Amino acid sequence: MSDPWQAAFAQFQIWGKYPQNQRDHVLRSWISELPSHIEHLKLSSEAQQAIDEICLCGEYFCTLAELNFNMQTLTGITGERNELHFHGKGIFTVGELDQTKPSLCNFTRLINLTVAALLCGNSVLLHYIHPLEKWQKCLLISLSKSLPNDLLQLTSRLDWLQMNRHSRLTGVAFIEHSKPNETAQFRRLLSQRTGPIICQVSVSHQASLEQVFHPECLLPFISETCISQNCTAIGGNIELLSR
Amino acid sequence: MLSVDDYFSPTSVDLDLDTLWQNIADNYLTEEHHLVKQLQYYASISSWEMSKTTHLAATIVGKIRADHHHTNLTEAFLQEYHLSSQEGMMLMCLAEALMRIPDPETADALIRDKLTHSDWSSHLQHSDSFLVNASTWGLLLTGRITPLDNPPQSVKQTIKSLVSSLTEPIVRKALNHAMRLMAHQFVMGQNITNALQQGLKYANDSRFRNKPHLNFDMLGETAITSEAAQHCLGTYIQGIHHIAKHNQQNQRQDSLSIKLSALHPRFAPSQSQRVLTELKDNLLQLLALAKNLNVAVTLDAEESERLDLSLQVFKEVFQTTNLMGWGQLGVAVQAYSKRALSVLAWLTALAKKHHTPIQIRLVKGAYWDSEIKNSQHLGLVNYPVFTSKPATDINYLCCARYLLSGHVRPHLQAQFATHNAHTVAAIEVMANGQDIEFQKLLGMGEALYHHHPQPHLRVYAPVGSYQRLLPYLVRRLLENSANSSFLSAIANKNVPMSELIEHPVDQYFASHHTSHSGFPLPADIFGSVRKNSVGINFACSRTLAHWQQRIAPYFDEQYISGPIIDGEAVFLNAEGDIHLAGRTHKEVVKPYQLDEVIGKQIEASQEDINQSCTVALNGFHLWSQTSIELRASLLNKLADKLELQAPKLTAMCMMEAGKTLFDAHNELRKAVDYCRYYASQGLSLFHQVPVSMPSLTPIHWRRKGQGVWVCISPCSAPLDLFVGQICAALVCGNTVIAKPAPQSSLIAYQVIKLMLSIGFPPYAIQLLSGADTVAEQLTQQANLAGIAVTGRLTTAQNIQQACYRSAAPFAKLIAETSGVNCMLVDSTALHVQVVKDALRSAFSAAGQRCSSLRILCVQDDVADSIIKQLSDAMIELAVGNPEQIHQDIGPIINKETWLQLQQYLNHLNNNARLIRQTPLHHDLNGYFIAPSLYEIEQISDIRGESFGPILHVLRYEKHQLPNLIRQINQMGHARTCAIYSRNQTTINQLVSQLQMGNIYVNNCQTDAAIGCQPFGGKGLSGTGPKSGGPTYLTAFSQLEPY
């Protein structure tokens, strides 16, 4: 495999600058086409439920992003234009702390976290070590194909802890361990990193779907840039006098 | 305060000069509508006069409109490309920047940027002028390579194909030529000799029935270096000699205009003492020469903040015996200024007192847009200028009547500068046969004075290189092509005659029924959402003196700081006496006067830390149950109280943090803005209905606080960030333990006391003062909901690690850390603007802000010029005791940083090229670092964060820009970056490539306005969300389903 970090970073730089509407469009298209990608498969009711949940969350995330993350013009001083732009933070790793046995619920939540991170303009290294069922493979392939190459990378070979020590990492989205100490230990590990303080998004597997993915669940995945432009005459523009 | 009627009383000329001077200050920011109502009578004294004026104006306008041949190129151009068109704006930008760009590549890019993004085809065949009718500016200029009468494809296509790589050199040459043609309309000559020759031809032109006199203006903006000021003085002296000789040889009375700000590198109110001493001698030398050679001189009007100082300088020179009785010295007075009439009254009394008439050039004013922006930025109580054109016109007419009054005429000799037919008509009617002089700008108002010739006309004729012309040109074009201007309106055939000749009084009262029907006041720019904080008009000498008096007593007091737990200062006994037994404490000294103790800081003990956590934890439930309305109202109350306590807190900020008066007061204003912004945001957020995930069981959400937040603030912003963090946490229903920086705990203590006094419950806010170890111990406490820290990256990292040493669950962390902030300058940028903003961004607050500029990256083609100006301007900076008003830069706040900076300077001395270090006085007794400018070869020459007045400059070649951006991004310090360019395509590209929290375009990067410019970095510069922005409070609150 070529350096997944470099590829992820290169993709983030492009994807992160897409307007929010465009990212919404990509993910909404994937959600709407997802049933057609798996229609040839025989699904268990649990699997169908998981897919429904992924679609529900994805739609919801898109709605939230559309509502909140389009550029905002901020009221201010005459002769200045202030805009607040929202975009991705960088590369997120997504994974579960307890990797002892596969769980459909965890898989679903990992996909939800992945979609949330992607929708906000990040690239994602999804860590999942368990064997995938056919529908899971189909789902991941279709998601990956609907996105620019390497924006989403699935890895089982890389070591989860090593991944979270990487200097290019900007955020971790993870499912907490059932043992709180293990989760605490992981967080301590993250705090030992040198360089920027990274974003941690954790999901408890005990909480309900609605509680985990609440109306502000996308905010940790988002980064803001404020652009202030002087519009007075000597500032280079001349809008004030033409009002 | 005198009324307008008082000025028109013949006895007003006998009023005391001091009273009249006070009256100027009274009118500085006076209420507009009230003033206009007083002025209206004198602008339209009788219906007979009004109807006569209207009749005359109609005749003039009729003649101008009927003449299709007399419109000159400039006027034709303005007709077609007025400011309301995108193309007009583009051309203005091009005109302003093109000629100063030395490298062809950047010039071509600018041309591409401006010419290919507009709809030129909409201007085809609009103008009556052949030249303009050539269709578009671009086609006009490139007419030689494209047949004009047979435009291929569409105009847009044509221009796009013209601006291609093959034809770029031709287009550039053509456009440069065209800009020169354009400039030629406004400049009499590139030097005085040439200008006098051209002027003679101009005056003898057959279009003028009476030969106009000329008033020469040596082009040049404000000087920011002594060299520029000296050069300007030399130019003026030379100009006087040449004009005198020319006048004598040709029996003319041509004159000269002088810009005071061009004669001194620090012509600013804060430097008045220095200006009055240093400028006076030079000016006197100049005026004595002018008097000896009999060349009339007028002092030009400038920005309103310079008016006080200009008048003081004028008075100083005017009353010297040398100039007594001369009568050829004058002043320009701007009618858009609310002080115009009071200035005239003061000048009348001055002239009378010294038995010497003063020449008055009455103009309308050319700095309107920056005056409006500046007033809002400073939070002034009102504007110094009228906000509507009719109000300015009314004031103009009123001033004209005053100048024509019998009791004034012997003392003030008026020259009326206008291009407006109605104004000319009104003055003529008012004058009722008296001799009057009109003035016009070269290149403007040609048709007006051709069709309505005046016996006495003077033409304001700029002299200088076309490059120097640019700022002047843009101001003139803006002034005269603005939608509201007469020149723009007369050219627009859709504007009916009745509108052109409508009296300004009628115009004004048709749209202004109340005081605030026009422009919002600076306090009201955020509408009903919140009030803008009140600023102090330090440009007004009376206000400044008054403020100095108000803060003075606080410099003599002793202050204390220590833990406040559950509303009690734990180091005070029941009698209120300080009880230090067993407590660690230290004396606090002024960082600029190390032998002056200003107070004591008592360190929080482990017991205090534990106790504060218990109180805060126990109090959380109660506080979170209070209504958002109550919490928001407390924040608003705090804002009001901070404003009331402004003198004390400002003084403390100066003493403890070593800030200058301006910086300290600015800090206070931001604290006030934080309170009001978070109050309004809190209300809106807590009332918002979140969008839930569609599900079978509908979920409702309730927003609430999270628990106990620890707020750790930095010493660089002892008031604003301290207040901002705790207010954000409190308004969301959290209880707060505040830990201010050890270097600024006296101020923090005052703020917490203030909060308790206005009704914040004692359990809601605790204060723990002391060293950084207190913060580390505090953040290891269990059950904290969150930690907000602003400071160095290492501080934030240590705190995170300390926090994770405690038992889970861990507190949430919001870290705002510093940046290695850059400014990117390409060769289209305006040099003076770059230098001024670089000085301010790098050195104000001694460069200790997290947003302070560290690396100035300049395109090689203009680097020499910009670096030289910057380096020379640094000599003029005043570093010293910030209690002295003229000091620009105070000390570093503490010894540790000072020592680190000294070490860093040693590193730079070995690894970079020192360009300039501002000289320091040898008797300073504090942690002062001389503002320093070093040239570096590459970004990697910089070693980490240095919080001080040290600026690195880096040259780059245009083709290296992408690599430079990569290096800037790779540093990982994504805090702020400023871009100085006139090329919007370049700006857009840079904005999309820079990974920064805040990007400023042609704007100073250190003064983020709360709510308008949410502030915070990424990567090594912080975690987000941005403080003072719409998402900040979400981090301090949570949604709870019910």
Side-chain angles (χ1 to χ4, degrees):
Chain A
M1 192 200 260
S2 61
D3 182 2
W5 294 94
Q6 204 173 334
F9 186 69
Q11 284 309 319
F12 156 68
Q13 291 195 303
I14 302 164
W15 175 251
K17 289 183 189 106
Y18 278 26
Q20 187 59 51
N21 289 343
Q22 214 168 325
R23 290 198 296 261
D24 293 342
H25 178 73
V26 170
L27 285 154
R28 275 195 197 277
S29 301
W30 170 69
I31 294 163
S32 65
E33 287 164 14
L34 184 56
S36 66
H37 291 300
I38 48 174
E39 65 187 0
H40 60 288
L41 300 171
K42 203 171 179 184
L43 296 175
S44 66
S45 63
E46 289 84 3
Q48 188 58 56
Q49 206 181 331
I51 291 167
D52 290 346
E53 185 184 311
I54 288 166
C55 292
L56 179 73
C57 278
E59 288 281 358
Y60 178 53
F61 293 161
C62 288
T63 306
L64 289 179
E66 278 164 9
L67 275 175
N68 299 309
F69 301 146
N70 280 306
M71 185 269 284
Q72 290 181 22
T73 303
L74 304 169
T75 311
I77 288 164
T78 314
E80 267 179 14
R81 185 170 49 239
N82 296 303
E83 296 170 349
L84 188 60
H85 295 254
F86 299 89
H87 39 78
K89 284 188 161 164
I91 306 172
F92 267 76
T93 53
V94 177
E96 52 188 344
L97 297 192
D98 185 357
Q99 300 178 346
T100 48
K101 55 179 182 199
S103 130
L104 187 57
C105 174
N106 277 10
F107 175 81
T108 312
R109 299 238 161 140
L110 287 177
I111 300 298
N112 289 336
L113 286 171
T114 300
V115 170
L118 289 167
L119 181 66
C120 293
N122 303 284
S123 57
V124 170
L125 294 179
L126 172 62
H127 185 262
Y128 194 74
I129 59 164
H130 308 295
L132 293 166
E133 288 181 34
K134 233 178 185 175
W135 71 268
Q136 290 173 317
K137 279 184 193 163
C138 273
L139 182 142
L140 280 166
I141 290 168
S142 69
L143 175 57
S144 179
K145 280 193 168 172
S146 67
L147 299 164
N149 281 347
D150 294 330
L151 188 68
L152 166 64
Q153 297 174 68
L154 174 69
T155 171
S156 55
R157 288 188 308 134
L158 297 176
D159 177 73
W160 170 247
L161 294 182
Q162 284 296 330
M163 279 172 75
N164 289 305
R165 287 198 184 100
H166 200 280
S167 61
R168 280 223 152 127
L169 183 68
T170 44
V172 191
F174 62 94
I175 299 172
E176 292 172 2
H177 203 285
S178 51
K179 295 176 186 160
N181 275 350
E182 294 289 327
T183 306
Q185 198 52 38
F186 179 66
R187 287 188 188 276
R188 285 195 186 100
L189 177 94
L190 294 177
S191 79
Q192 301 299 319
R193 291 168 49 95
T194 51
I197 294 169
I198 60 163
C199 164
Q200 301 176 29
V201 185
S202 64
V203 168
S204 157
H205 54 269
Q206 290 166 330
S208 73
L209 184 72
E210 288 87 350
Q211 281 175 332
V212 172
F213 298 115
H214 56 79
E216 283 168 1
C217 64
L218 295 184
L219 285 173
F221 294 101
I222 273 290
S223 150
E224 304 162 294
T225 297
C226 178
I227 300 166
S228 308
Q229 190 150 357
N230 183 358
C231 304
T232 51
I234 303 303
N237 254 308
I238 42 181
E239 291 175 9
L240 190 55
L241 281 176
S242 65
R243 78 199 161 85
Chain B
M1 187 167 155
L2 297 173
S3 71
V4 170
D5 292 339
D6 294 332
Y7 300 124
F8 283 90
S9 155
T11 54
S12 67
V13 292
D14 298 319
L15 283 169
D16 173 47
L17 267 177
D18 286 342
T19 310
L20 289 164
W21 180 255
Q22 291 305 319
N23 210 48
I24 295 175
D26 290 339
N27 279 288
Y28 201 142
L29 304 170
T30 195
E31 205 277 312
E32 178 165 323
H33 192 61
H34 177 70
L35 180 58
V36 173
K37 283 206 285 190
Q38 288 188 62
L39 295 167
Q40 77 170 101
Y41 170 74
Y42 295 97
S44 56
I45 210 157
S46 67
S47 54
W48 172 85
E49 193 184 274
M50 275 178 92
S51 85
K52 203 169 173 193
T53 299
T54 307
H55 180 73
L56 180 55
T59 311
I60 302 170
V61 169
K63 283 182 189 168
I64 296 172
R65 280 202 156 166
D67 182 356
H68 299 287
H69 304 291
H70 200 80
T71 316
N72 71 1
L73 174 61
T74 312
E75 284 165 352
F77 175 78
L78 291 174
Q79 283 170 23
E80 185 58 36
Y81 295 109
H82 49 89
L83 269 180
S84 54
S85 71
Q86 190 193 5
E87 294 73 31
M89 303 249 287
M90 292 290 166
L91 289 174
M92 296 284 178
C93 293
L94 195 60
E96 192 263 346
L98 187 64
M99 276 190 290
R100 66 165 170 262
I101 304 172
D103 57 310
E105 210 183 326
T106 310
D108 292 342
L110 183 73
I111 293 167
R112 264 198 307 278
D113 176 63
K114 301 301 175 208
L115 291 192
T116 55
H117 294 114
S118 301
D119 183 13
W120 302 101
S121 56
S122 62
H123 296 275
L124 266 174
Q125 307 300 325
H126 271 195
S127 175
D128 291 333
S129 156
F130 168 73
L131 289 172
V132 176
N133 201 28
S135 74
T136 70
W137 186 247
L139 282 178
L140 164 71
L141 308 166
T142 52
R144 283 184 192 168
I145 52 171
T146 309
L148 294 174
D149 51 355
N150 185 22
Q153 309 154 44
S154 69
V155 175
K156 202 170 181 177
Q157 282 300 316
T158 307
I159 288 180
K160 275 196 173 161
S161 60
L162 279 172
V163 189
S164 68
S165 56
L166 278 177
T167 52
E168 265 171 355
I170 306 167
V171 175
R172 186 189 337 120
K173 207 171 169 187
L175 272 171
N176 256 308
H177 182 68
M179 292 300 162
R180 277 167 200 277
L181 266 177
M182 181 79 179
H184 184 71
Q185 300 289 315
F186 294 92
V187 177
M188 192 57 93
Q190 297 220 39
N191 56 51
I192 188 67
T193 319
N194 182 245
L196 286 165
Q197 283 168 2
Q198 293 300 321
L200 204 55
K201 279 190 213 158
Y202 177 86
N204 289 331
D205 193 298
S206 58
R207 75 189 124 163
F208 298 112
R209 284 187 211 160
N210 304 298
K211 289 180 186 175
H213 295 297
L214 299 172
N215 181 281
F216 293 102
D217 165 42
M218 303 302 181
L219 285 173
E221 292 294 294
T222 307
I224 51 174
T225 68
S226 287
E227 191 183 301
Q230 279 305 315
H231 174 79
C232 201
L233 178 66
T235 312
Y236 283 146
I237 289 173
Q238 195 192 21
I240 290 170
H241 279 294
H242 280 90
I243 295 169
K245 196 173 163 192
H246 174 83
N247 283 352
Q248 209 174 15
Q249 284 172 351
N250 301 289
Q251 287 85 49
R252 292 189 55 78
Q253 291 166 36
D254 293 344
S255 54
L256 181 72
S257 278
I258 283 176
K259 203 177 260 103
L260 291 179
S261 68
L263 285 172
H264 196 279
R266 297 301 310 276
F267 194 78
S270 65
Q271 307 296 317
S272 58
Q273 219 172 345
R274 182 180 162 194
V275 169
L276 285 170
T277 324
E278 294 173 8
L279 179 58
K280 188 182 162 189
D281 291 343
N282 284 344
L283 190 62
L284 266 177
Q285 179 198 349
L286 205 65
L287 295 177
L289 179 71
K291 183 188 173 194
N292 287 342
L293 300 176
N294 200 25
V295 175
V297 170
T298 305
L299 305 188
D300 261 338
E302 302 187 55
E303 291 90 341
S304 65
E305 63 180 23
R306 290 183 164 138
L307 180 62
D308 259 21
L309 186 54
S310 299
L311 293 176
Q312 284 177 54
V313 171
F314 178 83
K315 185 184 168 194
E316 284 293 313
V317 293
F318 182 74
Q319 61 194 13
T320 54
T321 29
N322 271 358
L323 302 179
M324 285 296 178
W326 179 31
Q328 294 298 309
L329 177 60
V331 187
V333 174
Q334 297 157 319
Y336 73 2
S337 166
K338 292 173 180 172
R339 290 175 288 176
L341 200 54
S342 51
V343 166
L344 290 176
W346 179 78
L347 288 167
T348 312
L350 186 70
K352 183 167 188 260
K353 182 179 173 189
H354 297 290
H355 310 289
T356 305
I358 297 171
Q359 308 275 328
I360 300 294
R361 179 193 304 145
L362 186 64
V363 300
K364 285 185 183 169
Y367 300 84
W368 186 81
D369 62 339
S370 50
E371 295 288 359
I372 296 291
K373 183 183 171 194
N374 201 33
S375 308
Q376 293 182 356
H377 184 68
L378 293 173
L380 301 183
V381 293
N382 211 313
Y383 296 100
V385 294
F386 291 104
T387 57
S388 75
K389 177 81 167 54
T392 296
D393 288 341
I394 290 170
N395 197 33
Y396 192 95
L397 293 182
C398 191
C399 290
R401 191 179 303 280
Y402 176 81
L403 288 165
L404 294 169
S405 308
H407 63 291
V408 176
R409 278 206 87 159
H411 310 297
L412 302 185
Q413 293 174 356
Q415 302 148 3
F416 301 102
T418 179
H419 305 131
N420 184 322
H422 186 276
T423 311
V424 169
I427 291 169
E428 267 188 35
V429 174
M430 266 184 220
N432 199 18
Q434 295 180 70
D435 254 6
I436 41 176
E437 179 177 314
F438 282 98
Q439 292 204 359
K440 72 175 215 58
L441 295 169
L442 182 66
M444 298 268 181
E446 304 282 330
L448 170 64
Y449 289 103
H450 173 76
H451 288 292
H452 193 68
Q454 294 296 326
H456 304 288
L457 178 67
R458 191 172 290 268
V459 178
Y460 189 84
V463 182
S465 71
Y466 291 149
Q467 283 190 3
R468 283 179 174 269
L469 165 79
L470 300 170
Y472 165 84
L473 171 66
V474 168
R475 271 210 302 276
R476 293 283 93 84
L477 290 176
L478 288 173
E479 196 184 10
N480 289 290
S481 61
N483 295 344
S484 52
S485 94
F486 177 79
L487 282 189
S488 178
I490 196 168
N492 185 348
K493 284 166 191 158
N494 295 325
V495 178
M497 161 85 88
S498 57
E499 213 170 284
L500 282 168
I501 58 171
E502 191 179 7
H503 199 284
V505 169
D506 295 334
Q507 280 179 44
Y508 178 86
F509 286 99
S511 54
H512 293 71
H513 307 293
T514 62
S515 324
H516 302 305
S517 47
F519 226 65
L521 289 177
D524 300 330
I525 55 172
F526 302 113
S528 57
V529 178
R530 66 185 162 110
K531 246 179 15 176
N532 190 9
S533 56
V534 176
I536 306 298
N537 184 19
F538 291 125
C540 174
S541 52
R542 189 177 69 171
T543 312
L544 183 61
H546 177 61
W547 247 78
Q548 283 178 294
Q549 271 176 13
R550 287 182 74 192
I551 59 173
Y554 300 108
F555 289 108
D556 300 327
E557 285 187 17
Q558 285 291 303
Y559 301 88
I560 194 148
S561 167
I564 298 179
I565 299 170
D566 208 7
E568 301 294 332
V570 296
F571 52 91
L572 297 179
N573 62 19
E575 285 75 41
D577 298 325
I578 298 171
H579 188 66
L580 288 176
R583 288 194 168 274
T584 310
H585 66 278
K586 66 168 191 177
E587 285 186 332
V588 181
V589 296
K590 293 176 176 174
Y592 51 91
Q593 197 66 55
L594 300 179
D595 50 0
E596 276 190 38
V597 175
I598 51 169
K600 219 183 247 35
Q601 183 196 106
I602 296 154
E603 186 148 329
S605 64
Q606 184 64 53
E607 194 192 329
D608 296 332
I609 294 171
N610 297 342
Q611 205 192 336
S612 67
C613 288
T614 309
V615 173
L617 270 171
N618 292 340
F620 169 64
H621 180 70
L622 219 53
W623 178 243
S624 66
Q625 294 298 307
T626 56
S627 69
I628 180 64
E629 284 75 15
L630 173 83
R631 298 197 297 267
S633 76
L634 281 171
L635 256 59
N636 282 324
K637 223 167 159 183
L638 176 61
D640 296 344
K641 200 77 178 174
L642 286 169
E643 282 187 336
L644 282 172
Q645 299 262 328
K648 181 177 185 177
L649 292 167
T650 304
M652 289 187 74
C653 231
M654 293 168 76
M655 277 187 292
E656 197 178 13
K659 299 209 173 219
T660 59
L661 173 60
F662 181 79
D663 284 338
H665 192 263
N666 204 19
E667 172 111 12
L668 177 103
R669 285 193 59 214
K670 282 192 181 181
V672 170
D673 284 331
Y674 268 128
C675 293
R676 292 190 181 134
Y677 179 71
Y678 290 142
S680 71
Q681 280 288 305
L683 282 168
S684 114
L685 195 66
F686 274 69
H687 288 141
Q688 217 172 63
V689 180
V691 180
S692 295
M693 188 184 295
S695 68
L696 292 174
T697 36
I699 289 194
H700 300 288
W701 299 95
R702 185 177 20 231
R703 189 174 290 279
K704 51 177 263 193
Q706 298 168 338
V708 179
W709 270 79
V710 171
C711 295
I712 301 168
S713 53
C715 58
S716 59
L719 244 180
D720 75 64
L721 289 179
F722 177 75
V723 170
Q725 284 178 341
I726 58 181
C727 284
L730 283 169
V731 80
C732 292
N734 305 288
T735 50
V736 169
I737 304 174
K739 164 66 186 74
Q743 302 84 7
S744 56
S745 65
L746 300 183
I747 302 163
Y749 183 81
Q750 290 297 323
V751 172
I752 300 297
K753 271 181 49 182
L754 206 62
M755 292 176 79
L756 293 168
S757 76
I758 59 166
F760 278 93
Y763 53 79
I765 174 81
Q766 320 299 315
L767 175 74
L768 295 178
S769 53
D772 291 339
T773 48
V774 172
E776 282 191 31
Q777 289 162 6
L778 176 60
T779 49
Q780 288 176 47
Q781 295 285 312
N783 299 318
L784 296 178
I787 301 167
V789 56
T790 307
R792 288 168 188 262
L793 175 65
T794 46
T795 310
Q797 285 168 331
N798 290 342
I799 280 168
Q800 190 191 28
Q801 285 173 17
C803 160
Y804 280 23
R805 282 196 285 272
S806 71
F810 305 118
K812 180 179 186 175
L813 182 71
I814 299 177
E816 272 191 64
T817 50
S818 53
V820 179
N821 307 306
C822 298
M823 180 189 278
L824 294 166
V825 179
D826 77 3
S827 63
T828 65
L830 182 63
H831 298 196
V832 175
Q833 187 190 14
V834 169
V835 173
K836 279 183 181 170
D837 284 0
L839 286 172
R840 193 161 139 207
S841 302
F843 303 132
S844 66
Q848 295 173 97
R849 291 191 179 119
C850 49
S851 56
S852 293
L853 171 64
R854 306 284 176 223
I855 313 173
L856 172 64
C857 308
V858 193
Q859 190 179 324
D860 204 30
D861 305 273
V862 289
D864 285 341
S865 159
I866 287 180
I867 293 171
K868 177 157 190 339
Q869 283 186 63
L870 181 61
S871 158
D872 290 352
M874 282 174 67
I875 304 175
E876 308 301 330
L877 294 173
V879 185
N881 181 342
E883 288 174 35
Q884 296 160 348
I885 197 70
H886 67 278
Q887 301 292 0
D888 301 300
I889 298 165
I892 299 300
I893 198 165
N894 66 345
K895 192 172 178 180
E896 290 86 335
T897 314
W898 182 75
L899 286 170
Q900 283 166 10
L901 288 167
Q902 296 286 8
Q903 276 178 4
Y904 185 58
L905 285 172
N906 286 338
H907 162 79
L908 283 176
N909 286 332
N910 294 323
N911 296 283
R913 185 170 75 88
L914 175 65
I915 296 173
R916 173 73 68 199
Q917 211 152 44
T918 303
L920 290 185
H921 278 284
H922 63 279
D923 56 351
L924 292 175
N925 177 25
Y927 303 126
F928 289 96
I929 293 281
S932 307
L933 180 66
Y934 284 88
E935 183 163 351
I936 54 171
E937 301 281 325
Q938 61 242 331
I939 295 264
S940 56
D941 290 346
I942 292 191
R943 207 178 62 184
E945 304 163 314
S946 58
F947 289 90
I950 301 170
L951 178 60
H952 311 82
V953 62
L954 175 71
R955 295 164 189 261
Y956 69 89
E957 287 179 30
K958 190 174 166 59
H959 70 273
Q960 295 172 325
L961 188 58
N963 191 37
L964 177 64
I965 303 300
R966 213 169 299 125
Q967 287 179 37
I968 290 172
N969 286 339
Q970 277 167 2
M971 278 196 295
H973 287 280
R975 187 90 199 191
T976 71
C977 186
I979 301 167
Y980 283 77
S981 173
R982 294 292 191 255
N983 186 329
Q984 196 61 43
T985 310
T986 307
I987 291 168
N988 294 345
Q989 276 168 2
L990 291 175
V991 162
S992 77
Q993 288 162 2
L994 284 163
Q995 286 155 21
M996 289 289 151
N998 288 70
I999 298 175
Y1000 295 87
V1001 180
N1002 296 318
N1003 221 1
C1004 188
Q1005 66 200 101
T1006 45
D1007 293 326
I1010 314 303
C1012 328
Q1013 295 162 346
F1015 194 67
K1018 316 171 181 187
L1020 295 171
S1021 296
T1023 58
K1026 285 179 176 296
S1027 65
T1031 57
Y1032 196 59
L1033 294 189
T1034 59
F1036 289 88
S1037 56
Q1038 58 183 331
L1039 291 168
E1040 185 186 57
Y1042 68 96

